[in-house]
Amino acid sequence: MPAAATPLPETLTPRPGVGERLSRMIRLPTVSAELDARGPQPFEDFVVLLAELYPLVHEHLSLERVTEFGLLFRWAGAAASAQPVVLMAHYDVVPVDESDAWTYPPFEGRVEDGWVYGRGALDDKGPLAIVLEAVENLLAAGFTPPRDVYLSFGGNEETYGAAAEQIATTLQGRGIVPWLVLDEGGAVVDAPLPFALGDAAMVGVGEKGVLTLRLTARGDGGHASAPPKITAVGRIARAIDRLDPWTFPAHSPKAITRMLAQFADRASGAPQLLLRTLATFPWLTARAFAAMGGEPAALVRTTVAATMQQGGTAANVLPSQASATLNLRIALGETVAGTVRRVKRRIADPLVEVTVVESSEPSPESPTDNDQFALIVDAVNASYPNASTVPYVMMAATDSRHFHRFSPAVYRFAPLEMTNAQRASIHGVDERVEIASLERGELFHRALLQRLQ
Ligand SMILES: [Zn+2]
């Protein structure tokens, strides 16, 4: 019989040493892309390390291994019938480029001047650690959540592995629809837009889909001295040229409208007027952002980038075949099938074959006017009182997309402060996190869990 949910004073003193514990995690090289070379031992060691670092979590929560690389902890809540909360993170990391010069070795886990350095500090061992810190601290204070809380940790996110998908499928198979899912994504950033001053907790409410296409054209071959009007290489080049940025229509998602309205509240003068106008007229936002190109354009429409090209065997031989690979990021509200149709129509060449290499649909857009989002806002206010909570749309994919198939309230936010330089260190050089930020992150999760109803 689980205990009734216990309210808790906010004055709990967290266990010191979060930096050291994260450092221990960083020292295990859980590089999923190098699994074949390194073997599975670092991943197994990581599971053992978690039990050592978080004894109360292991005493009070059940741990289920879903596939070799999926860890699913369940913290039984007072009301077994209530829909659970799922807090997600991944414990694998991307490789380190040998030619990069790190200030400290990437797997040393150096703690220096209030910072923890190393691969995974931000992506995603830091965010994983603060979830466990919060749960451990709450357990030490005798807290029981009002509803079940699952911790879903995957060990192959960076290689598009199946752990998180299997965990999602497992819960779905048990008829469990999470009330709230929280995964990596946005962070607490300073001045996210040129006009938007101050700290903002950027919460991803949706993510774009991914589509890889191959274009193939065939030719007759032969000597290059008497060429046809267009060769296979020329045909592919023409097809790519036809896929200009305007191939796809621009729409402004609801989250972007709300983001602009919130930034308007904090701006003044001409920028404020501009932001207000954009927030009032989404069609205008769509056009303006599309015209700006780059990141603003990517927020409002499907993008297409030609990333690889092959064809021909010699300088003086007509190519019998040429091909190109396209990487597309599908805007919210559109589909893989519709995007493929549009690409074919735009290329308008029946001799260019279009094949789908891999695809995933864009996620739905989670609401921002529900209790779940209000809870996130409350937890941000408790941990980062100077930051406002702002929704946005992510361009990269996260493991949470597997939950978005059947759970309507999925949010992508790691409650850690990240400067632009820190964000560049993710998948890059000198990845690092400030211990003060880890402590605020722990407070975010603790506040979120304590305020659960
Ligand atoms: Zn990540």
Side-chain angles (χ1 to χ4, degrees), residues 212-216 344 353-358:
T212 303
L213 293 178
R214 182 160 302 125
L215 310 183
T216 312
K344 286 183 179 166
E353 193 190 329
V354 179
T355 44
V356 175
V357 180
E358 65 177 337

Side-chain angles (χ1 to χ4, degrees), residues 13-325:
T13 309
R15 191 167 57 133
V18 55
E20 300 299 331
R21 286 187 286 278
L22 175 58
S23 166
R24 297 272 308 273
M25 295 184 194
I26 290 171
R27 271 180 252 165
L28 295 173
T30 50
V31 186
S32 45
E34 295 171 355
L35 180 63
D36 289 343
R38 292 176 186 266
Q41 199 56 46
F43 293 85
E44 287 307 317
D45 292 346
F46 193 86
V47 180
V48 173
L49 178 66
L50 290 188
E52 180 197 328
L53 297 181
Y54 302 99
L56 295 178
V57 168
H58 281 73
E59 186 184 324
H60 293 272
L61 278 65
S62 62
L63 169 59
E64 184 179 351
R65 298 284 292 261
V66 181
T67 77
E68 202 183 340
F69 297 106
L71 308 179
L72 182 62
F73 291 92
R74 175 172 170 259
W75 190 5
S81 58
Q83 291 174 281
V85 169
V86 180
L87 303 177
M88 300 178 70
H90 62 89
Y91 57 97
D92 63 320
V93 296
V94 292
V96 170
D97 192 328
E98 292 291 323
S99 62
D100 285 340
W102 285 60
T103 308
Y104 308 111
F107 296 107
E108 185 192 304
R110 174 76 73 107
V111 182
E112 188 87 31
D113 287 337
W115 289 72
V116 183
Y117 289 79
R119 173 60 83 225
L122 292 170
D123 182 16
D124 191 34
K125 288 176 176 173
L128 181 143
I130 55 179
V131 168
L132 288 166
E133 294 288 329
V135 175
E136 185 82 6
N137 287 328
L138 287 169
L139 285 167
F143 177 78
T144 302
R147 52 176 84 223
D148 282 5
V149 176
Y150 286 94
L151 314 181
S152 166
F153 299 150
N156 50 22
E157 193 271 351
E158 300 287 5
T159 50
Y160 302 100
E165 186 175 9
Q166 282 301 324
I167 290 174
T169 308
T170 300
L171 291 182
Q172 190 181 19
R174 292 173 190 163
I176 293 168
V177 178
W179 180 75
L180 164 67
V181 178
L182 194 59
D183 194 10
E184 64 175 334
V188 180
V189 300
D190 179 31
L193 286 181
F195 295 143
L197 302 177
D199 287 346
M202 304 298 294
V203 177
V205 295
E207 60 188 77
K208 295 178 85 174
V210 185
L211 173 62
T212 303
L213 293 178
R214 182 160 302 125
L215 310 183
T216 312
R218 281 165 227 287
D220 285 336
H223 199 275
S225 58
K229 213 168 122 200
I230 186 163
T231 68
V233 166
R235 214 170 260 292
I236 289 296
R238 187 174 70 181
I240 291 173
D241 192 49
R242 285 176 177 167
L243 294 170
D244 60 40
W246 304 97
T247 302
F248 300 98
H251 296 289
S252 185
K254 281 199 207 81
I256 302 300
T257 300
R258 175 156 173 180
M259 175 183 91
L260 293 167
Q262 282 183 252
F263 287 152
D265 289 343
R266 293 194 304 174
S268 59
Q272 182 175 52
L273 185 65
L274 173 67
L275 290 166
R276 282 255 151 80
T277 308
L278 289 173
T280 312
F281 303 106
W283 61 269
L284 185 63
T285 304
R287 282 197 201 176
F289 277 32
M292 285 161 79
E295 282 203 6
L299 282 174
V300 295
R301 73 172 167 216
T302 300
T303 58
V304 53
T307 50
M308 295 196 287
Q309 214 172 350
Q310 282 126 5
T313 51
N316 59 354
V317 176
L318 292 171
S320 60
Q321 188 182 313
S323 68
T325 303

